[in-house]
Amino acid sequence: MRSVEEQQARVAAAAVAPRPVRVAIAESQGLMCAEEVVTERPLPGFDQAAIDGYAVRSVDVLSVGGTDDDGLNREVSLPVVGEIEAGARTPSRLQPRQAARVQTGAPMPTLADAVLPLRWTDGGQSRVRVLRGVRSGAYVRRTGDDVQPGDVAVRAGTIIGAAQVGLLAAVGRDKVMVHPRPRMSVLSVGGELVDVSRTPGNGQVYDVNSYALAAAGRDAGAEVNRVGIVDTDPAALREVVEGQISRSEVVVIAGAVGGAAAESVRAVLAELGEMEVARIAMHPGSVQGFGQLGRDGVPVFLLPANPVSALVVFEVMVRPLIRMSLGKRQPLRRVIQARTLAPITSVAGRKGYLRGQLMRDQDTGEYLVQALGGAPGASSHLLATLAEANCLVIVPSEAEQVRTGEVVDVAFLAQRG
């Protein structure tokens, strides 16, 4: 029986990131930047007003608030020689002891070196009385304050978020090279399956896996094609699988381990490349398959028919491969330690990935965890408990029992809502 870590290493060795592509910046969010974005122009590209107010020479207003030799407060009023709006393209020039009304983002007139906030004036239209002086550079965004030509605006390897999209737009980039989402195809096999659009007959069940695994793939960052239920007739199955491995970086087939149907599936896949079904020292989902099919050696996973087992195997094996294909430096979920609130039963000799609810003690800040689903095997099929889980409790392979109050490793699942 192979260890989880050994199987994960085999899977990781097959990870191949899709070639970088150039996309519109509006479509780049959440993807990893694949180039050093070097700015060609300063940002901002001109001296501009940072607030609404009056553009002035600081030397003309700096004395406001002081006193003359006779002890009287100095007062300054300046003629307002015009108004400059944001987006104004006509150059303007300020003479000594003049002011110009400016809007936020408006280009500063020549000789002006500060903006006098409206609240520090009487708001005059033709002449403004200054109530408080400003120093040189106050409330002005200087040319290149944010970015200078030749600066790197977004570095290769950066995950593009809202701030990076904004910066790309600010430096005039409408497209950017990114590592694209790996394409993943999801298939289900099993004579008992019907799609959710139909009413199941006697002995039939809904195809849960293709929907659940497709959602898990999207959560991991893949671009997913949910093929759905596939006929296990050898010729038909081969045609479908060949089509999917030609257009995907990852293929997931649920229901292809265990049973006569799985045997016929594996026989077809063996014609397309190397495929191995093995027992992995984990539960649930001990029996699983992995191989590389087609001319390009596309990673193909065979998952159990049990929806909970399939999702756990996806979480442990498939999701890290997708994250590596996206270029993520940390493909695994964040793991923290938590204290158990009740005993946990596991399977000796297998690493357990058990559904749980993680919480935090408000007084101590300590993480606490409650395992869901009871004893292994008795309710491992219950999808409802997985839907309630916000973590996986990781139980070492040598542990058969975890007592109340013991500390265990816990992997965060994606937050809902």
Side-chain angles (χ1 to χ4, degrees), residues 28-39:
S28 67
Q29 188 171 0
L31 300 178
M32 178 178 285
C33 186
E35 65 171 318
E36 298 279 297
V37 179
V38 178
T39 59

Side-chain angles (χ1 to χ4, degrees), residues 22 118 137 141 153 165 170 230 247 317 323-324 333 381:
R22 190 173 298 278
L118 286 175
R141 293 185 64 210
V165 171
V230 179
R247 63 173 64 97
M317 299 296 173
R323 305 297 284 174
M324 283 186 281
R333 298 275 196 185
H381 64 286

Side-chain angles (χ1 to χ4, degrees), residues 40-377:
E40 298 177 357
R41 300 181 180 86
L43 178 67
F46 54 89
D47 291 354
Q48 61 181 237
I51 60 171
D52 289 356
Y54 297 88
V56 296
R57 297 194 322 154
S58 59
V59 68
D60 293 335
V61 299
L62 196 57
S63 62
V64 175
T67 58
D68 291 323
D69 293 338
D70 57 6
L72 299 176
N73 287 333
R74 297 190 184 100
E75 289 189 2
V76 173
S77 66
L78 302 174
V80 180
V81 296
E83 183 170 354
I84 307 173
E85 298 179 346
R89 302 179 66 180
T90 303
S92 57
R93 183 181 180 87
L94 203 65
Q95 298 298 327
R97 297 193 60 79
Q98 289 183 342
R101 187 75 175 260
V102 290
Q103 295 179 356
T104 302
M108 292 289 288
T110 304
L111 294 187
D113 65 342
V115 174
L116 193 65
L118 286 175
R119 65 182 183 277
W120 293 353
T121 73
D122 66 350
Q125 297 296 317
S126 60
R127 195 169 189 89
V128 60
R129 186 162 64 92
V130 181
L131 305 179
R132 177 176 171 182
V134 289
R135 295 186 178 276
S136 179
Y139 304 105
V140 175
R141 293 185 64 210
R142 295 293 188 187
T143 302
D145 271 353
D146 283 353
V147 177
Q148 293 283 353
D151 286 350
V152 177
V154 181
R155 297 193 176 278
T158 300
I159 302 302
I160 298 176
Q164 287 73 29
V165 171
L167 186 54
L168 288 167
V171 299
R173 289 290 295 267
D174 63 336
K175 293 185 178 180
V176 63
M177 290 288 289
V178 297
H179 294 286
R181 302 183 190 281
R183 297 165 297 178
M184 184 182 93
S185 294
V186 182
L187 296 71
S188 285
V189 295
E192 77 281 11
L193 300 177
V194 297
D195 193 69
V196 295
S197 60
R198 296 176 52 194
T199 302
N202 187 35
Q204 293 182 314
V205 296
Y206 286 126
D207 169 29
V208 173
N209 278 325
S210 73
Y211 287 95
L213 294 170
R218 293 188 194 98
D219 176 72
E223 178 184 316
V224 179
N225 174 32
R226 190 191 68 82
V227 180
I229 303 168
V230 179
D231 191 340
T232 53
D233 172 75
L237 177 62
R238 176 168 180 146
E239 181 180 359
V240 172
V241 173
E242 282 186 312
Q244 296 309 313
I245 63 176
S246 70
R247 63 173 64 97
S248 304
E249 280 78 42
V250 183
V251 175
V252 174
I253 306 175
V257 289
E263 290 290 341
S264 63
V265 170
R266 295 202 295 272
V268 170
L269 299 182
E271 300 173 3
L272 302 175
E274 296 184 3
M275 174 59 66
E276 178 196 47
V277 175
R279 282 194 174 274
I280 309 302
M282 64 177 284
H283 78 93
S286 173
V287 182
Q288 54 189 265
F290 175 72
Q292 292 178 264
L293 304 185
R295 182 181 60 187
D296 297 327
V298 174
V300 177
F301 294 86
L302 306 183
L303 272 54
N306 179 307
V308 168
S309 297
L311 280 171
V312 171
V313 173
F314 185 97
E315 177 69 30
V316 177
M317 299 296 173
V318 187
R319 189 179 193 276
L321 178 74
I322 293 172
R323 305 297 284 174
M324 283 186 281
S325 296
L326 280 166
K328 305 291 186 181
R329 296 184 181 89
Q330 298 293 335
L332 301 179
R333 298 275 196 185
R334 180 189 171 200
V335 175
I336 56 98
Q337 291 191 317
R339 195 172 300 280
T340 59
L341 292 175
I344 298 174
T345 302
S346 188
V347 177
R350 299 185 191 177
K351 195 172 187 177
Y353 292 88
L354 310 179
R355 313 175 296 284
Q357 286 185 332
L358 184 68
M359 57 205 81
R360 202 163 193 178
D361 189 296
Q362 292 184 347
D363 296 328
T364 66
E366 183 182 31
Y367 283 108
L368 306 171
V369 67
Q370 172 75 55
L372 303 173

Side-chain angles (χ1 to χ4, degrees), residues 389-412:
N390 62 4
C391 69
L392 287 178
V393 182
I394 304 173
V395 181
S397 57
E398 63 272 13
E400 190 172 355
Q401 295 281 341
V402 178
R403 294 188 297 270
T404 301
E406 288 191 27
V407 174
V408 292
D409 285 342
V410 174
F412 281 108

